[in-house]
Amino acid sequence: MTDPNEMGFFDHLEELRNRLIKSVGLWLIVFVICFIYAKPIFAWLAEPLVEISKSEHLFAATRFEEPFLANMRAAFWTSLILSSLIFFYHFWGFVAPALTKEEKWFAIPFIIFMALFFIAGCWFSFEYVFPYALSYLMEWNAGELNAFTRSSYLHMLFLFVMGMGVSFELPLVLLFLAKVGLVTSGFLLDKFRYAVVIIFIAAAIITPTPDPFMQTFLAAPILLLYLLGTGLAWLVQKKDEEEFEAMVQGADGDSAEDQDGTPISEDWQK
């Protein structure tokens, strides 16, 4: 195999293209399978609305092609979530050759947890966040004739699901930034008030209504994820400090000197 360190710019582009083709090809297989079972998948996705309204006859079609397009949309987003493991795997395959052995020990679980956290966020939103938001919105329709299009329902559903799935990546992003030395736990705690503002703005974008209570309900889990990421950053920082101290103590720094006569231990401390 070609040494990745000797690959040129266009060689890397070719490798990226091959990875993208493989990812999209495998995703298309998952999409076709999901589309074959689109009707039961849509029935499963509609369960939160069915449980709240206590009725299975809720959806109206304003156009002839609307049910077909809604089933396709349900298959598309479901296959995209299920294929996240494929995308993360090929992302790992693309960056792995450029990593050292030590970096791979960190990157392998990192990539795995990125996929698991994304799926966990989607599941958490579907099971808890979205049903609550839907119930809140349905209260405003009390006494009204409730008939919704499938597409409008799926649009709101996957807005919550995908938004929370991406939000669950926040602890891992902070962990990575701490690992490469861009942030520290103290810095994250110091900037917590700014994080609160940014998270509430993001929650306002995701939520379909300007209601502050629903916005808070969506922002609260993301704030907890930020604090979790801060804790992970502290663990990384503490581990790096312990490794540094062990390296200094393990060296014969009291007598060893570098070329300019400065003790090696003093150079490491600097």
Side-chain angles (χ1 to χ4, degrees):
M1 296 180 61
T2 305
D3 187 353
N5 296 320
E6 298 178 355
M7 293 173 62
F9 175 75
F10 291 101
D11 294 324
H12 285 290
L13 285 182
E14 181 68 17
E15 173 69 12
L16 179 60
R17 185 183 71 88
N18 293 334
R19 292 287 179 183
L20 289 175
I21 291 175
K22 292 178 181 178
S23 299
V24 174
L26 292 173
W27 166 75
L28 285 175
I29 295 175
V30 178
F31 171 74
V32 170
I33 295 174
C34 290
F35 185 72
I36 293 174
Y37 297 96
K39 289 186 177 180
I41 288 176
F42 181 85
W44 174 63
L45 295 176
E47 284 183 1
L49 182 59
V50 172
E51 293 179 359
I52 293 173
S53 60
K54 307 300 181 181
S55 174
E56 297 183 358
H57 304 285
L58 298 167
F59 298 104
T62 58
R63 297 177 298 177
F64 286 104
E65 71 276 11
E66 200 275 332
F68 172 79
L69 294 177
N71 286 334
M72 181 175 289
R73 178 177 294 182
F76 171 81
W77 288 108
T78 302
S79 63
L80 200 64
I81 294 173
L82 295 178
S83 300
S84 59
L85 290 171
I86 298 174
F87 297 132
F88 283 116
Y89 167 77
H90 282 288
F91 173 76
W92 156 253
F94 178 72
V95 301
L99 301 177
T100 64
K101 185 176 180 180
E102 182 181 353
E103 290 171 338
K104 288 181 180 179
W105 280 108
F106 173 78
I108 291 176
F110 183 80
I111 296 297
I112 294 175
F113 277 103
M114 281 188 69
L116 295 179
F117 269 54
F118 176 75
I119 295 176
C122 294
W123 172 83
F124 176 79
S125 179
F126 181 75
E127 289 290 331
Y128 299 103
V129 179
F130 177 72
Y132 175 83
L134 187 64
S135 177
Y136 177 82
L137 293 175
M138 289 290 290
E139 291 181 359
W140 290 88
N141 294 334
E144 301 290 338
L145 181 60
N146 295 327
F148 316 96
T149 63
R150 294 169 177 82
S151 297
S152 63
Y153 173 77
L154 291 176
H155 173 75
M156 186 175 68
L157 168 63
F158 285 108
L159 188 65
F160 274 87
V161 169
M162 298 298 289
M164 188 60 67
V166 173
S167 299
F168 263 56
E169 303 288 352
L170 181 60
L172 298 178
V173 172
L174 297 180
L175 173 64
F176 174 79
L177 294 177
K179 185 65 178 179
V180 299
L182 293 179
V183 299
T184 63
S185 58
F187 174 84
L188 294 175
L189 286 176
D190 184 60
K191 304 301 180 182
F192 179 73
R193 58 185 181 276
Y194 300 108
V196 172
V197 175
I198 295 173
I199 289 172
F200 268 85
I201 293 175
I205 296 174
I206 296 174
T207 52
T209 65
D211 178 68
F213 189 72
M214 182 182 296
Q215 183 181 359
T216 303
F217 184 79
L218 184 61
I222 305 178
L223 288 173
L224 293 177
L225 292 171
Y226 180 89
L227 294 176
L228 174 60
T230 303
L232 293 176
W234 178 81
L235 291 176
V236 169
Q237 183 179 348
K238 183 179 180 181
K239 182 179 178 181
D240 290 342
E241 291 176 354
E242 292 176 351
E243 291 178 351
F244 175 79
E245 292 176 359
M247 181 176 62
V248 173
Q249 294 175 359
D252 295 328
D254 296 333
S255 58
E257 297 180 348
D258 58 14
Q259 295 180 353
D260 61 0
T262 303
I264 295 177
S265 60
E266 293 182 8
D267 286 344
W268 281 344
Q269 290 175 0
K270 293 180 181 177

